[in-house]
């Protein structure tokens, strides 16, 4: 069986309740991480770095109830970053949950958590 061409992760797709609000918070962070806008359609946006990309989608198939990182499913996304990425997130309205100095755990308005590993 052939291995992955660029790495383990091809893409991560997050279904959000409010695409406009999610884009307002995620776009500055993705740009600070060095990602470039990749795809844009009525219900979604994505940003790419190398062979990997992140998708935000407000799908019409989305069930009501919102995201809860403490339920079964995705707890958080962790990325290699810097203090500048943390600053971009805070400026975009993310809430700082935990900052150890080496990592910062940030939460957006819809409850998604992003861990920025700054080591």
């Amino acid at each position: 069986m052939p291995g992955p061409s660029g790495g383990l992760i091809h893409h991560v797709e997050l279904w959000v309740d409010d695409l406009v609000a999610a884009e307002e918070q995620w776009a500055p962070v993705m740009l600070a991480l060095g990602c470039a806008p990749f795809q844009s359609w009525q219900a979604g946006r994505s940003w790419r770095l190398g062979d990997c990309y992140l998708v935000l989608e407000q799908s019409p198939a989305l069930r009501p109830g919102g995201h809860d990182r403490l339920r079964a499913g995705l707890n958080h996304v962790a990325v290699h970053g810097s203090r500048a990425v943390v600053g971009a997130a805070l400026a975009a309205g993310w809430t700082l949950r935990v900052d150890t100095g080496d990592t910062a755990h940030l939460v957006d308005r819809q409850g998604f958590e992003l861990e920025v590993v700054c080591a």
Side-chain angles (χ1 to χ4, degrees), residues 68-88:
D68 183 346
R69 67 178 194 81
L70 298 178
R71 292 182 183 237
L74 180 75
N75 178 268
H76 69 279
V77 175
V79 296
H80 294 285
S82 65
R83 300 312 297 185
V85 172
V86 174

Side-chain angles (χ1 to χ4, degrees), residues 14-22 57-59 62-68 108-112:
L14 303 178
W15 280 17
V16 298
D17 287 320
D18 184 336
L19 179 62
V20 172
E57 184 175 358
Q58 187 175 343
S59 172
L62 182 70
R63 292 182 183 166
H67 174 73
D68 183 346
D108 76 0
R109 287 188 293 261
Q110 295 184 62
F112 288 98

Side-chain angles (χ1 to χ4, degrees), residues 1 9-10 14 17 21 25-26 28 30 32 40 45-46 55 60-64 72-73 78 95 105 113-114 117:
M1 177 181 290
I9 303 296
H10 183 271
L14 303 178
D17 287 320
Q25 289 195 286
W26 282 86
M30 299 309 291
S40 180
R45 307 287 181 272
S46 69
V55 178
L62 182 70
R63 292 182 183 166
T95 300
H105 293 255
E113 182 173 324
L114 178 68
V117 181

Side-chain angles (χ1 to χ4, degrees), residues 13-58:
E13 184 168 329
L14 303 178
W15 280 17
V16 298
D17 287 320
D18 184 336
L19 179 62
V20 172
E23 185 176 14
E24 286 174 359
Q25 289 195 286
W26 282 86
V29 173
M30 299 309 291
L31 295 174
L33 285 166
C35 299
F38 179 46
Q39 299 162 315
S40 180
W41 65 103
Q42 184 177 358
R45 307 287 181 272
S46 69
W47 295 265
R48 184 177 192 161
L49 181 62
D51 291 335
C52 184
Y53 59 99
L54 175 85
V55 178
L56 300 176
E57 184 175 358
Q58 187 175 343

Side-chain angles (χ1 to χ4, degrees), residues 88-110:
L90 293 172
W94 290 71
T95 300
L96 183 63
R97 191 175 74 73
V98 175
D99 190 341
T100 68
D102 292 331
T103 65
H105 293 255
L106 302 143
V107 180
D108 76 0
R109 287 188 293 261
Q110 295 184 62

